[in-house]
Coordinates of all heavy atoms in Angstrom, one line a residue:
M247 N -17.6 10.0 18.0 CA -17.0 8.8 17.6 C -16.5 8.0 18.8 O -16.0 8.6 19.7 CB -15.9 9.0 16.7 CG -16.2 9.2 15.2 SD -14.6 9.1 14.3 CE -15.2 9.4 12.7
S248 N -16.6 6.7 18.7 CA -16.1 5.9 19.8 C -14.5 5.8 19.6 O -14.0 6.1 18.6 CB -16.7 4.5 19.7 OG -16.2 3.8 18.6
Y249 N -13.9 5.2 20.6 CA -12.5 5.0 20.6 C -12.1 4.2 19.4 O -11.1 4.5 18.7 CB -12.0 4.4 21.9 CG -10.6 4.0 21.8 CD1 -9.5 4.9 22.0 CD2 -10.2 2.6 21.7 CE1 -8.2 4.5 21.9 CE2 -8.9 2.2 21.6 CZ -7.9 3.2 21.7 OH -6.6 2.8 21.7
E250 N -12.8 3.1 19.1 CA -12.5 2.2 18.0 C -12.7 2.8 16.7 O -11.8 2.7 15.8 CB -13.4 0.9 18.1 CG -13.1 0.0 19.3 CD -13.8 0.4 20.6 OE1 -14.6 1.4 20.6 OE2 -13.5 -0.2 21.6
Q251 N -13.7 3.7 16.5 CA -13.9 4.4 15.3 C -12.8 5.4 15.0 O -12.3 5.5 13.9 CB -15.3 5.0 15.2 CG -16.4 4.1 15.1 CD -17.8 4.8 15.3 OE1 -17.9 5.7 16.1 NE2 -18.8 4.3 14.6
D252 N -12.4 6.1 16.1 CA -11.3 7.0 16.0 C -10.0 6.3 15.6 O -9.3 6.8 14.7 CB -11.0 7.8 17.3 CG -12.0 8.9 17.5 OD1 -12.6 9.4 16.5 OD2 -12.1 9.4 18.6
F253 N -9.8 5.2 16.2 CA -8.5 4.4 16.0 C -8.5 4.0 14.5 O -7.5 4.1 13.8 CB -8.4 3.2 16.9 CG -7.2 2.4 16.7 CD1 -6.0 2.7 17.3 CD2 -7.3 1.3 15.8 CE1 -4.9 2.0 17.1 CE2 -6.1 0.5 15.6 CZ -4.9 0.9 16.2
L254 N -9.6 3.4 14.0 CA -9.7 2.9 12.7 C -9.6 4.1 11.7 O -8.9 3.9 10.6 CB -11.0 2.2 12.4 CG -11.1 0.8 13.0 CD1 -12.5 0.2 12.8 CD2 -10.0 -0.1 12.4
A255 N -10.2 5.2 11.9 CA -10.0 6.3 11.0 C -8.6 6.8 11.0 O -8.1 7.1 9.9 CB -11.0 7.5 11.5
D256 N -8.0 6.9 12.1 CA -6.6 7.3 12.2 C -5.7 6.3 11.5 O -4.7 6.7 10.7 CB -6.1 7.5 13.6 CG -6.7 8.8 14.2 OD1 -7.2 9.6 13.5 OD2 -6.6 8.9 15.5
F257 N -5.9 5.1 11.7 CA -5.1 4.0 11.1 C -5.3 4.0 9.5 O -4.3 3.9 8.8 CB -5.5 2.6 11.6 CG -4.7 1.5 11.2 CD1 -3.3 1.6 11.1 CD2 -5.3 0.3 10.7 CE1 -2.5 0.5 10.7 CE2 -4.5 -0.7 10.3 CZ -3.1 -0.6 10.3
E258 N -6.5 4.2 9.1 CA -6.8 4.2 7.6 C -6.1 5.4 7.0 O -5.5 5.3 5.9 CB -8.3 4.3 7.4 CG -8.6 4.3 5.9 CD -10.1 4.3 5.6 OE1 -10.9 4.6 6.5 OE2 -10.4 4.0 4.4
Q259 N -6.1 6.6 7.7 CA -5.4 7.8 7.2 C -3.9 7.5 7.1 O -3.2 7.9 6.1 CB -5.7 9.0 8.1 CG -5.0 10.2 7.7 CD -5.3 11.4 8.6 OE1 -5.8 11.2 9.7 NE2 -4.8 12.6 8.2
W260 N -3.4 6.9 8.1 CA -1.9 6.5 8.1 C -1.6 5.6 7.0 O -0.6 5.8 6.3 CB -1.5 5.9 9.5 CG -0.1 5.6 9.6 CD1 0.9 6.4 9.9 CD2 0.5 4.3 9.4 NE1 2.1 5.7 9.9 CE2 1.8 4.4 9.6 CE3 -0.1 3.0 9.0 CZ2 2.7 3.3 9.4 CZ3 0.8 1.9 8.9 CH2 2.2 2.1 9.1
V261 N -2.4 4.6 6.8 CA -2.1 3.6 5.7 C -2.1 4.4 4.4 O -1.3 4.1 3.5 CB -3.2 2.5 5.7 CG1 -3.1 1.6 4.4 CG2 -2.9 1.6 6.9
N262 N -3.1 5.2 4.2 CA -3.2 6.0 2.9 C -2.0 6.9 2.7 O -1.5 7.0 1.6 CB -4.5 6.8 2.9 CG -5.7 6.0 2.7 OD1 -5.7 4.8 2.2 ND2 -6.8 6.5 3.2
Q263 N -1.5 7.5 3.8 CA -0.2 8.3 3.7 C 0.9 7.4 3.4 O 1.8 7.8 2.6 CB 0.0 9.0 5.0 CG -0.9 10.1 5.3 CD -0.7 10.7 6.7 OE1 -0.1 10.0 7.6 NE2 -1.3 11.8 7.0
Q264 N 1.0 6.2 3.9 CA 2.1 5.3 3.6 C 2.1 4.9 2.2 O 3.2 4.7 1.6 CB 2.1 4.1 4.6 CG 2.3 4.4 6.0 CD 3.6 5.2 6.2 OE1 4.7 4.8 5.8 NE2 3.5 6.3 6.9
V265 N 0.9 4.7 1.6 CA 0.8 4.3 0.2 C 1.4 5.5 -0.7 O 2.2 5.2 -1.6 CB -0.7 4.0 -0.2 CG1 -0.8 4.0 -1.7 CG2 -1.1 2.7 0.4
T266 N 1.0 6.7 -0.3 CA 1.5 7.8 -1.1 C 3.1 7.9 -1.0 O 3.8 8.1 -2.0 CB 0.9 9.1 -0.6 OG1 -0.5 9.0 -0.8 CG2 1.4 10.3 -1.4
I267 N 3.6 7.9 0.3 CA 5.0 8.0 0.5 C 5.8 6.9 -0.2 O 6.8 7.2 -0.8 CB 5.3 8.0 2.0 CG1 4.7 9.3 2.7 CG2 6.7 7.8 2.3 CD1 4.7 9.2 4.2
N268 N 5.3 5.7 -0.1 CA 6.0 4.5 -0.7 C 6.0 4.6 -2.2 O 6.9 4.1 -2.9 CB 5.6 3.2 -0.1 CG 6.2 2.9 1.3 OD1 7.3 2.5 1.3 ND2 5.5 3.2 2.3
Q269 N 4.9 5.1 -2.7 CA 4.7 5.2 -4.2 C 5.8 6.2 -4.7 O 6.5 5.9 -5.7 CB 3.3 5.6 -4.6 CG 3.1 5.7 -6.1 CD 3.2 4.4 -6.8 OE1 2.5 3.4 -6.4 NE2 4.1 4.2 -7.8
I270 N 5.9 7.3 -4.1 CA 6.9 8.3 -4.5 C 8.3 7.8 -4.3 O 9.1 7.9 -5.2 CB 6.7 9.6 -3.6 CG1 5.3 10.3 -4.0 CG2 7.8 10.6 -3.8 CD1 4.9 11.4 -3.0
A271 N 8.6 7.2 -3.2 CA 9.9 6.6 -3.0 C 10.2 5.5 -4.0 O 11.4 5.5 -4.5 CB 10.0 6.1 -1.5
M272 N 9.3 4.7 -4.3 CA 9.5 3.6 -5.3 C 9.8 4.2 -6.6 O 10.7 3.7 -7.3 CB 8.3 2.7 -5.3 CG 8.5 1.5 -6.2 SD 7.0 0.4 -6.3 CE 6.0 1.3 -7.5
D273 N 9.0 5.2 -7.0 CA 9.2 5.8 -8.3 C 10.6 6.5 -8.4 O 11.3 6.4 -9.4 CB 8.1 6.9 -8.6 CG 6.8 6.3 -8.8 OD1 6.7 5.1 -9.0 OD2 5.8 7.0 -8.7
Q274 N 11.0 7.1 -7.3 CA 12.4 7.8 -7.3 C 13.5 6.7 -7.4 O 14.5 6.9 -8.1 CB 12.5 8.7 -6.1 CG 11.7 9.9 -6.2 CD 12.0 10.8 -7.4 OE1 13.2 11.0 -7.7 NE2 11.0 11.2 -8.1
A275 N 13.3 5.6 -6.6 CA 14.3 4.6 -6.6 C 14.4 3.9 -8.0 O 15.5 3.6 -8.5 CB 14.0 3.5 -5.6
H276 N 13.3 3.8 -8.7 CA 13.2 3.2 -10.0 C 14.0 4.1 -11.0 O 14.7 3.6 -11.8 CB 11.8 2.9 -10.4 CG 11.7 2.2 -11.7 ND1 11.5 2.8 -12.9 CD2 11.8 0.8 -12.0 CE1 11.4 1.9 -13.9 NE2 11.6 0.7 -13.3
K277 N 13.7 5.4 -10.8 CA 14.4 6.4 -11.7 C 15.9 6.3 -11.6 O 16.6 6.3 -12.5 CB 13.8 7.8 -11.4 CG 14.4 8.9 -12.2 CD 13.8 10.2 -11.8 CE 14.5 11.3 -12.6 NZ 14.0 12.6 -12.1
V278 N 16.4 6.3 -10.3 CA 17.8 6.2 -10.0 C 18.4 4.9 -10.6 O 19.5 4.9 -11.2 CB 18.1 6.4 -8.5 CG1 19.6 6.1 -8.2 CG2 17.7 7.8 -8.1
W279 N 17.7 3.8 -10.3 CA 18.1 2.5 -10.8 C 18.3 2.5 -12.3 O 19.3 2.1 -12.8 CB 17.1 1.5 -10.3 CG 17.4 0.1 -10.8 CD1 18.6 -0.5 -11.1 CD2 16.4 -0.9 -11.1 NE1 18.4 -1.8 -11.5 CE2 17.0 -2.1 -11.5 CE3 15.0 -0.9 -11.0 CZ2 16.3 -3.2 -11.9 CZ3 14.3 -2.1 -11.3 CH2 15.0 -3.2 -11.8
K280 N 17.3 3.1 -13.0 CA 17.4 3.1 -14.5 C 18.5 4.0 -15.0 O 19.2 3.7 -16.0 CB 16.0 3.5 -15.1 CG 15.0 2.4 -14.9 CD 15.4 1.1 -15.6 CE 14.3 0.1 -15.5 NZ 14.7 -1.2 -16.0
E281 N 18.6 5.2 -14.4 CA 19.6 6.2 -14.8 C 21.0 5.8 -14.5 O 21.9 5.9 -15.3 CB 19.3 7.5 -14.3 CG 18.0 8.1 -14.9 CD 17.6 9.4 -14.2 OE1 18.3 9.9 -13.2 OE2 16.6 10.0 -14.6
D282 N 21.3 5.3 -13.2 CA 22.6 5.1 -12.7 C 23.0 3.7 -12.6 O 24.2 3.4 -12.3 CB 22.8 5.8 -11.3 CG 22.5 7.3 -11.4 OD1 22.6 7.9 -12.5 OD2 22.2 7.8 -10.3
K283 N 22.1 2.7 -12.8 CA 22.3 1.3 -12.7 C 22.9 1.0 -11.3 O 23.8 0.1 -11.1 CB 23.3 0.8 -13.7 CG 22.9 1.1 -15.2 CD 21.7 0.4 -15.6 CE 21.4 0.7 -17.1 NZ 20.1 0.9 -17.4
D284 N 22.4 1.7 -10.3 CA 22.8 1.6 -8.9 C 22.1 0.4 -8.3 O 20.9 0.3 -8.2 CB 22.5 2.8 -8.1 CG 23.1 2.8 -6.7 OD1 23.5 1.8 -6.2 OD2 23.1 3.9 -6.1
A285 N 22.9 -0.6 -7.8 CA 22.3 -1.8 -7.2 C 21.5 -1.5 -5.9 O 20.5 -2.1 -5.6 CB 23.4 -2.8 -6.9
R286 N 22.0 -0.4 -5.2 CA 21.3 0.0 -3.9 C 19.9 0.5 -4.3 O 18.9 0.3 -3.6 CB 22.1 1.0 -3.2 CG 23.4 0.4 -2.6 CD 24.2 1.5 -1.9 NE 24.5 2.5 -2.9 CZ 25.0 3.7 -2.7 NH1 25.2 4.1 -1.4 NH2 25.3 4.5 -3.6
A287 N 19.8 1.2 -5.4 CA 18.5 1.8 -5.8 C 17.6 0.6 -6.2 O 16.4 0.7 -6.0 CB 18.7 2.8 -6.9
E288 N 18.1 -0.4 -6.9 CA 17.3 -1.5 -7.3 C 16.8 -2.2 -6.0 O 15.6 -2.6 -6.0 CB 18.2 -2.5 -8.1 CG 17.4 -3.8 -8.5 CD 18.3 -4.8 -9.2 OE1 19.5 -4.6 -9.3 OE2 17.7 -5.7 -9.8
D289 N 17.6 -2.4 -5.0 CA 17.2 -3.0 -3.7 C 16.1 -2.2 -3.1 O 15.1 -2.7 -2.6 CB 18.4 -3.2 -2.8 CG 18.0 -3.9 -1.5 OD1 17.4 -5.0 -1.6 OD2 18.3 -3.4 -0.4
A290 N 16.3 -0.9 -3.1 CA 15.3 0.1 -2.5 C 14.0 0.0 -3.2 O 12.9 0.0 -2.6 CB 15.8 1.5 -2.5
F291 N 14.0 -0.1 -4.5 CA 12.8 -0.2 -5.3 C 12.0 -1.4 -4.9 O 10.8 -1.4 -4.7 CB 13.2 -0.3 -6.8 CG 12.0 -0.6 -7.7 CD1 11.1 0.4 -8.0 CD2 11.9 -1.9 -8.2 CE1 10.0 0.0 -8.8 CE2 10.8 -2.2 -9.1 CZ 9.9 -1.2 -9.4
I292 N 12.7 -2.6 -4.8 CA 12.1 -3.8 -4.4 C 11.4 -3.7 -3.0 O 10.3 -4.2 -2.8 CB 13.0 -5.0 -4.5 CG1 13.4 -5.2 -6.0 CG2 12.5 -6.3 -3.9 CD1 14.6 -6.1 -6.2
R293 N 12.2 -3.1 -2.1 CA 11.6 -3.0 -0.8 C 10.4 -2.1 -0.7 O 9.4 -2.4 -0.1 CB 12.7 -2.4 0.2 CG 13.8 -3.4 0.5 CD 14.9 -2.7 1.3 NE 16.1 -3.6 1.4 CZ 16.3 -4.4 2.4 NH1 15.4 -4.4 3.4 NH2 17.4 -5.1 2.4
Y294 N 10.5 -0.9 -1.4 CA 9.3 0.0 -1.5 C 8.1 -0.7 -2.1 O 7.0 -0.5 -1.7 CB 9.7 1.3 -2.2 CG 10.5 2.2 -1.3 CD1 11.7 2.6 -1.8 CD2 10.2 2.6 0.0 CE1 12.6 3.5 -1.1 CE2 11.0 3.4 0.7 CZ 12.2 3.8 0.2 OH 13.0 4.7 0.9
E295 N 8.4 -1.5 -3.2 CA 7.3 -2.2 -3.9 C 6.6 -3.2 -2.9 O 5.4 -3.3 -2.9 CB 7.8 -2.9 -5.1 CG 6.8 -3.5 -6.0 CD 7.4 -4.2 -7.2 OE1 8.5 -4.7 -7.1 OE2 6.7 -4.2 -8.2
S296 N 7.4 -3.9 -2.2 CA 6.9 -4.8 -1.2 C 6.0 -4.2 -0.2 O 4.9 -4.6 0.2 CB 8.0 -5.6 -0.5 OG 8.7 -6.4 -1.5
K297 N 6.5 -3.0 0.4 CA 5.7 -2.3 1.4 C 4.4 -1.8 0.8 O 3.4 -1.8 1.4 CB 6.6 -1.1 1.9 CG 7.7 -1.5 2.8 CD 8.4 -0.2 3.3 CE 9.6 -0.5 4.1 NZ 10.2 0.7 4.6
L298 N 4.5 -1.3 -0.5 CA 3.4 -0.8 -1.1 C 2.3 -1.9 -1.3 O 1.1 -1.6 -1.1 CB 3.8 -0.2 -2.5 CG 2.8 0.7 -3.2 CD1 2.3 1.9 -2.4 CD2 3.4 1.2 -4.5
D299 N 2.7 -3.1 -1.7 CA 1.8 -4.2 -1.8 C 1.1 -4.4 -0.5 O -0.1 -4.7 -0.4 CB 2.5 -5.4 -2.3 CG 2.8 -5.4 -3.7 OD1 2.3 -4.6 -4.5 OD2 3.7 -6.2 -4.1
A300 N 1.8 -4.4 0.6 CA 1.2 -4.7 1.9 C 0.2 -3.6 2.3 O -0.9 -3.8 2.8 CB 2.3 -4.8 3.0
Y301 N 0.6 -2.3 2.1 CA -0.3 -1.2 2.4 C -1.6 -1.2 1.5 O -2.7 -0.9 2.0 CB 0.4 0.1 2.3 CG 1.5 0.3 3.4 CD1 2.7 0.8 3.0 CD2 1.2 0.1 4.7 CE1 3.7 1.0 4.0 CE2 2.1 0.3 5.7 CZ 3.4 0.7 5.3 OH 4.3 0.9 6.3
R302 N -1.4 -1.6 0.3 CA -2.6 -1.7 -0.6 C -3.5 -2.9 -0.1 O -4.7 -2.8 -0.3 CB -2.2 -1.9 -2.0 CG -1.6 -0.6 -2.6 CD -1.4 -0.7 -4.1 NE -1.1 0.6 -4.6 CZ -0.2 0.8 -5.6 NH1 0.4 -0.2 -6.1 NH2 0.1 2.1 -6.0
F303 N -2.9 -3.9 0.4 CA -3.7 -5.0 1.0 C -4.5 -4.5 2.1 O -5.7 -4.8 2.2 CB -2.8 -6.1 1.5 CG -3.5 -7.2 2.2 CD1 -4.1 -8.2 1.5 CD2 -3.5 -7.2 3.6 CE1 -4.8 -9.2 2.3 CE2 -4.1 -8.2 4.3 CZ -4.8 -9.2 3.6
L304 N -3.9 -3.7 3.0 CA -4.7 -3.1 4.1 C -5.8 -2.1 3.6 O -6.9 -2.1 4.2 CB -3.7 -2.3 5.0 CG -2.8 -3.2 5.9 CD1 -1.8 -2.4 6.7 CD2 -3.6 -4.1 6.8
Q305 N -5.5 -1.4 2.5 CA -6.5 -0.5 1.9 C -7.7 -1.4 1.5 O -8.9 -1.0 1.6 CB -6.0 0.3 0.8 CG -5.2 1.5 1.2 CD -4.7 2.2 -0.1 OE1 -4.3 1.7 -1.1 NE2 -4.7 3.5 0.1
G306 N -7.5 -2.6 1.0 CA -8.6 -3.5 0.6 C -9.4 -3.9 1.8 O -10.6 -4.0 1.7
K307 N -8.7 -4.1 2.9 CA -9.4 -4.5 4.1 C -10.3 -3.3 4.6 O -11.4 -3.5 5.1 CB -8.5 -4.9 5.2 CG -7.7 -6.2 4.8 CD -8.6 -7.3 4.5 CE -7.9 -8.6 4.1 NZ -8.8 -9.6 3.7
F308 N -9.8 -2.1 4.5 CA -10.6 -0.9 4.8 C -11.8 -0.8 3.9 O -12.9 -0.4 4.3 CB -9.8 0.3 4.9 CG -9.0 0.5 6.2 CD1 -7.6 0.4 6.2 CD2 -9.7 0.8 7.4 CE1 -6.9 0.5 7.4 CE2 -9.0 0.9 8.6 CZ -7.6 0.8 8.6
A309 N -11.6 -1.1 2.6 CA -12.7 -1.0 1.7 C -13.8 -2.0 2.0 O -15.0 -1.7 2.0 CB -12.2 -1.3 0.2
N310 N -13.4 -3.2 2.5 CA -14.3 -4.2 2.9 C -15.1 -3.7 4.1 O -16.3 -3.8 4.2 CB -13.6 -5.5 3.4 CG -13.3 -6.4 2.2 OD1 -13.7 -6.1 1.1 ND2 -12.5 -7.4 2.4
Y311 N -14.4 -3.1 5.1 CA -15.0 -2.5 6.3 C -16.1 -1.4 5.9 O -17.2 -1.5 6.4 CB -13.9 -1.9 7.2 CG -14.4 -1.1 8.4 CD1 -15.0 -1.8 9.4 CD2 -14.4 0.2 8.4 CE1 -15.4 -1.1 10.5 CE2 -14.9 1.0 9.5 CZ -15.4 0.3 10.6 OH -15.9 1.0 11.6
H312 N -15.7 -0.6 5.0 CA -16.6 0.5 4.6 C -17.8 -0.1 3.8 O -18.9 0.5 3.8 CB -15.9 1.6 3.7 CG -15.0 2.4 4.5 ND1 -15.3 3.2 5.6 CD2 -13.6 2.5 4.4 CE1 -14.3 3.8 6.1 NE2 -13.2 3.4 5.4
N313 N -17.6 -1.2 3.1 CA -18.7 -1.8 2.4 C -19.5 -2.9 3.2 O -20.3 -3.6 2.6 CB -18.2 -2.5 1.1 CG -17.7 -1.4 0.1 OD1 -18.3 -0.4 0.0 ND2 -16.6 -1.7 -0.6
K314 N -19.2 -2.9 4.5 CA -19.9 -3.8 5.4 C -19.7 -5.3 5.1 O -20.5 -6.1 5.2 CB -21.3 -3.5 5.5 CG -21.7 -2.0 5.8 CD -22.4 -1.8 7.1 CE -22.8 -0.4 7.3 NZ -21.9 0.4 7.8
K315 N -18.5 -5.6 4.6 CA -18.1 -6.9 4.3 C -17.2 -7.5 5.4 O -16.7 -6.7 6.2 CB -17.3 -7.0 2.9 CG -18.1 -6.7 1.7 CD -17.2 -6.8 0.5 CE -18.0 -7.1 -0.7 NZ -17.2 -7.5 -1.8
G316 N -17.1 -8.8 5.4 CA -16.2 -9.4 6.3 C -14.7 -9.2 6.0 O -14.4 -8.8 4.9
F317 N -13.9 -9.4 7.0 CA -12.5 -9.1 6.9 C -11.9 -10.0 5.8 O -11.0 -9.6 5.1 CB -11.8 -9.4 8.3 CG -10.3 -9.1 8.2 CD1 -9.8 -7.9 8.4 CD2 -9.4 -10.2 8.0 CE1 -8.4 -7.6 8.4 CE2 -8.1 -10.0 8.0 CZ -7.6 -8.7 8.2
H318 N -12.3 -11.2 5.7 CA -11.7 -12.2 4.8 C -12.4 -12.2 3.4 O -11.9 -13.0 2.6 CB -11.8 -13.6 5.4 CG -10.9 -13.7 6.7 ND1 -9.6 -13.7 6.7 CD2 -11.3 -13.8 8.0 CE1 -9.1 -13.7 7.9 NE2 -10.2 -13.8 8.7
D319 N -13.4 -11.4 3.2 CA -14.0 -11.3 1.9 C -13.0 -10.7 0.9 O -12.1 -9.8 1.3 CB -15.2 -10.4 1.9 CG -16.4 -11.1 2.6 OD1 -16.3 -12.4 2.8 OD2 -17.3 -10.4 3.0
M320 N -13.1 -11.0 -0.3 CA -12.2 -10.5 -1.4 C -12.7 -9.2 -1.8 O -14.0 -9.0 -2.0 CB -12.2 -11.5 -2.6 CG -11.7 -12.9 -2.2 SD -10.0 -12.8 -1.6 CE -9.2 -13.1 -3.2
P321 N -11.9 -8.2 -2.1 CA -12.3 -6.9 -2.7 C -13.0 -7.1 -4.0 O -12.7 -8.1 -4.7 CB -11.0 -6.1 -2.8 CG -10.1 -6.8 -1.9 CD -10.4 -8.2 -1.8
E322 N -13.9 -6.2 -4.4 CA -14.7 -6.4 -5.6 C -13.9 -6.5 -6.8 O -14.2 -7.3 -7.7 CB -15.6 -5.1 -5.7 CG -16.7 -5.1 -4.7 CD -17.8 -6.2 -4.9 OE1 -18.0 -6.6 -6.1 OE2 -18.4 -6.6 -3.9
D323 N -12.8 -5.7 -7.0 CA -12.1 -5.6 -8.2 C -10.8 -6.4 -8.2 O -9.9 -6.2 -9.0 CB -11.8 -4.1 -8.5 CG -10.9 -3.5 -7.5 OD1 -10.7 -4.1 -6.4 OD2 -10.4 -2.4 -7.7
L324 N -10.7 -7.4 -7.4 CA -9.5 -8.1 -7.3 C -9.2 -9.0 -8.5 O -8.1 -9.0 -9.0 CB -9.4 -9.0 -6.0 CG -8.2 -9.8 -5.7 CD1 -7.0 -8.8 -5.5 CD2 -8.3 -10.7 -4.6
F325 N -10.2 -9.8 -8.9 CA -10.0 -10.7 -10.0 C -10.0 -9.9 -11.3 O -10.8 -9.0 -11.5 CB -11.1 -11.8 -10.0 CG -11.0 -12.7 -8.8 CD1 -11.9 -12.7 -7.8 CD2 -9.9 -13.6 -8.7 CE1 -11.8 -13.5 -6.7 CE2 -9.7 -14.4 -7.6 CZ -10.7 -14.3 -6.6
G326 N -9.1 -10.3 -12.2 CA -9.0 -9.7 -13.5 C -8.1 -8.4 -13.4 O -8.0 -7.7 -14.4
K327 N -7.6 -8.1 -12.3 CA -6.7 -6.9 -12.1 C -5.3 -7.4 -12.0 O -5.0 -8.2 -11.1 CB -7.2 -6.1 -10.9 CG -6.4 -4.9 -10.7 CD -7.0 -4.2 -9.5 CE -6.2 -2.9 -9.2 NZ -6.7 -2.3 -8.0
R328 N -4.4 -6.8 -12.7 CA -3.0 -7.1 -12.6 C -2.2 -5.9 -12.3 O -2.4 -4.8 -12.9 CB -2.5 -7.7 -13.9 CG -3.1 -9.0 -14.3 CD -2.4 -9.5 -15.6 NE -3.1 -10.8 -15.9 CZ -2.9 -11.3 -17.1 NH1 -2.2 -10.8 -18.0 NH2 -3.5 -12.5 -17.4
T329 N -1.4 -6.0 -11.3 CA -0.5 -4.9 -10.9 C 0.9 -5.5 -10.9 O 1.2 -6.6 -10.4 CB -0.8 -4.3 -9.6 OG1 -0.8 -5.4 -8.6 CG2 -2.2 -3.7 -9.6
Y330 N 1.8 -4.7 -11.4 CA 3.2 -5.1 -11.5 C 4.1 -4.1 -10.8 O 3.9 -3.0 -10.9 CB 3.7 -5.3 -12.9 CG 2.9 -6.4 -13.7 CD1 1.8 -6.1 -14.5 CD2 3.3 -7.7 -13.5 CE1 1.1 -7.1 -15.1 CE2 2.6 -8.7 -14.2 CZ 1.5 -8.4 -15.0 OH 0.9 -9.4 -15.6

């Protein structure tokens, strides 16, 4: 593998790890927020959700890369999909 391919593979792996970590953290913050009505947990939930959206955006860019699409092309399943 070339340096660029190694870098992209490592970066994609890191992004995927961040999605997993932030999903778990967001779920836990949501649980604490609902159980304890803790404002700090609500703030943490919002922050993790925002990070998760950004990492998922990057995952879409990697999907484009693997499908030999341009960086600015839209992912296949973007329209008609709602995430909250």
Side-chain angles (χ1 to χ4, degrees):
M247 272 192 184
S248 70
Y249 171 76
E250 289 84 4
Q251 290 171 324
D252 278 343
F253 181 86
L254 285 175
D256 288 346
F257 185 47
E258 184 176 15
Q259 180 183 7
W260 179 83
V261 168
N262 291 335
Q263 288 173 344
Q264 295 305 308
V265 166
T266 302
I267 291 167
N268 280 279
Q269 182 67 55
I270 292 168
M272 185 182 79
D273 292 344
Q274 290 301 313
H276 188 261
K277 181 180 174 186
V278 170
W279 174 32
K280 290 297 181 189
E281 290 175 357
D282 300 341
K283 307 295 186 219
D284 186 348
R286 293 175 300 165
E288 180 182 11
D289 184 53
F291 170 77
I292 293 167
R293 290 174 189 263
Y294 288 124
E295 184 180 36
S296 297
K297 287 180 183 182
L298 195 54
D299 286 344
Y301 291 131
R302 286 189 175 144
F303 173 82
L304 289 175
Q305 281 181 322
K307 297 304 177 181
F308 278 111
N310 281 353
Y311 172 74
H312 291 298
N313 293 325
K314 308 240 186 280
K315 289 182 154 189
F317 181 83
H318 297 290
D319 290 341
M320 301 296 268
E322 291 289 330
D323 62 348
L324 182 66
F325 293 109
K327 180 178 177 184
R328 293 183 182 167
T329 54
Y330 298 95

